[in-house]
Amino acid sequence: MAESFDLLMDVSPKKLAWNFLGGRIQASVPKALVRRWNDNIDEFKMYKMSNFIVVDKREKTKTSMNRWTLNFSHRTVVLLVENPTFPLQAFRLTQISELLNADRINDSQLIDIMGEVVGKEDPKELITSKGKETKRLAILVEDLDNYRIGCVLFGDMVDQILPYLDDGRVEPLIVVLQFFRPSRWNGMNLNPLSYTI
């Protein structure tokens, strides 16, 4: 008998025995379990996952349209899908023009955008409200239709992009920004986007 799978759109807190294959939903790993999963889940790979605790995320940042988030437990099982039978859709790109022309910005949804880095500020050191030292870097991203949007990177993201922002570059620097929070700045739509860490 073929194994049956649940649809992400049907998830609810009514049971623990969910069995998903593919899709996009926010998941959270409790601090006590991070070490167990840290080296076992990689970006841009597909996994078969089961045995989650389903929680209403309400006020939390949403990476998907789904109201629910999946919390890992000691019983959670995650298995790599070696040969997926359907394509992995890692990005759900949003057009910059759509963001700039929106009457209302939904800052509870995280977005993905793609474009060329056409400007940057110097990186700045800062201390968070919790006293942690970090870095901040603002860049300007432009798409193929010449729409531009500001984006602010924090922490490790600054160190990752800085080597590619050398002034001596000849070729354009194309970036795909995933899971960024849209916001308004000085009354303008989405200037900047900010990466949530």
Side-chain angles (χ1 to χ4, degrees), residues 41-86:
I41 299 176
D42 296 317
E43 287 183 299
F44 309 116
K45 292 189 179 175
M46 191 173 292
Y47 297 89
K48 175 181 149 184
M49 302 184 175
S50 60
N51 299 331
F52 289 93
I53 299 169
V54 179
V55 178
D56 190 343
K57 57 187 165 187
R58 295 181 194 262
E59 301 300 321
K60 295 181 181 177
T61 301
K62 301 175 184 177
T63 59
S64 70
M65 296 297 289
N66 201 306
R67 166 185 174 181
W68 307 100
T69 187
L70 307 177
N71 285 359
F72 279 54
S73 75
H74 290 286
R75 294 182 58 227
T76 300
V77 177
V78 178
L79 301 171
L80 178 66
V81 177
E82 295 288 351
N83 298 303
T85 57
F86 56 92

Side-chain angles (χ1 to χ4, degrees), residues 129-157:
S129 59
K130 295 182 180 178
K132 181 181 173 185
E133 292 183 10
T134 189
K135 298 176 184 174
R136 173 192 181 277
L137 174 68
I139 61 174
L140 189 62
V141 178
E142 180 178 277
D143 67 12
L144 291 173
D145 296 320
N146 299 318
Y147 287 101
R148 292 181 172 193
I149 194 165
C151 179
V152 179
L153 307 173
F154 294 96
D156 292 340
M157 294 293 296

Side-chain angles (χ1 to χ4, degrees), residues 4-197:
S4 64
F5 295 100
D6 299 302
L7 299 176
L8 289 174
M9 69 179 83
D10 296 331
V11 72
S12 75
K14 294 179 182 176
K15 68 177 186 176
L16 283 176
W18 295 101
N19 196 19
F20 301 117
L21 180 68
R24 181 185 251 197
I25 192 169
Q26 184 171 329
S28 179
V29 179
K31 191 173 185 178
L33 298 177
V34 167
R35 182 174 279 167
R36 175 180 173 191
W37 296 109
N38 200 35
D39 296 324
N40 296 320
I41 299 176
D42 296 317
E43 287 183 299
F44 309 116
K45 292 189 179 175
M46 191 173 292
Y47 297 89
K48 175 181 149 184
M49 302 184 175
S50 60
N51 299 331
F52 289 93
I53 299 169
V54 179
V55 178
D56 190 343
K57 57 187 165 187
R58 295 181 194 262
E59 301 300 321
K60 295 181 181 177
T61 301
K62 301 175 184 177
T63 59
S64 70
M65 296 297 289
N66 201 306
R67 166 185 174 181
W68 307 100
T69 187
L70 307 177
N71 285 359
F72 279 54
S73 75
H74 290 286
R75 294 182 58 227
T76 300
V77 177
V78 178
L79 301 171
L80 178 66
V81 177
E82 295 288 351
N83 298 303
T85 57
F86 56 92
L88 173 64
Q89 296 177 345
F91 301 104
R92 294 200 179 155
L93 296 171
T94 303
Q95 298 294 322
I96 294 176
S97 59
E98 177 185 328
L99 298 169
L100 295 174
N101 295 320
D103 291 331
R104 184 175 175 275
I105 300 301
N106 182 358
D107 63 359
S108 68
Q109 293 285 323
L110 300 184
I111 63 168
D112 305 340
I113 65 167
M114 183 170 73
E116 178 185 354
V117 176
V118 294
K120 70 175 181 74
E121 294 180 353
D122 291 330
K124 295 183 170 81
E125 303 283 336
L126 60 95
I127 298 177
T128 67
S129 59
K130 295 182 180 178
K132 181 181 173 185
E133 292 183 10
T134 189
K135 298 176 184 174
R136 173 192 181 277
L137 174 68
I139 61 174
L140 189 62
V141 178
E142 180 178 277
D143 67 12
L144 291 173
D145 296 320
N146 299 318
Y147 287 101
R148 292 181 172 193
I149 194 165
C151 179
V152 179
L153 307 173
F154 294 96
D156 292 340
M157 294 293 296
V158 175
D159 293 328
Q160 289 177 26
I161 198 170
L162 277 177
Y164 300 100
L165 293 174
D166 290 338
D167 292 332
R169 287 183 64 88
V170 176
E171 67 279 356
L173 175 60
I174 308 299
V175 293
V176 178
L177 306 170
Q178 189 175 29
F179 302 133
F180 277 67
R181 176 181 291 146
S183 61
R184 293 181 189 270
W185 183 69
N186 283 349
M188 297 184 298
N189 283 359
L190 293 147
N191 196 3
L193 297 174
S194 62
Y195 181 70
T196 304
I197 52 173

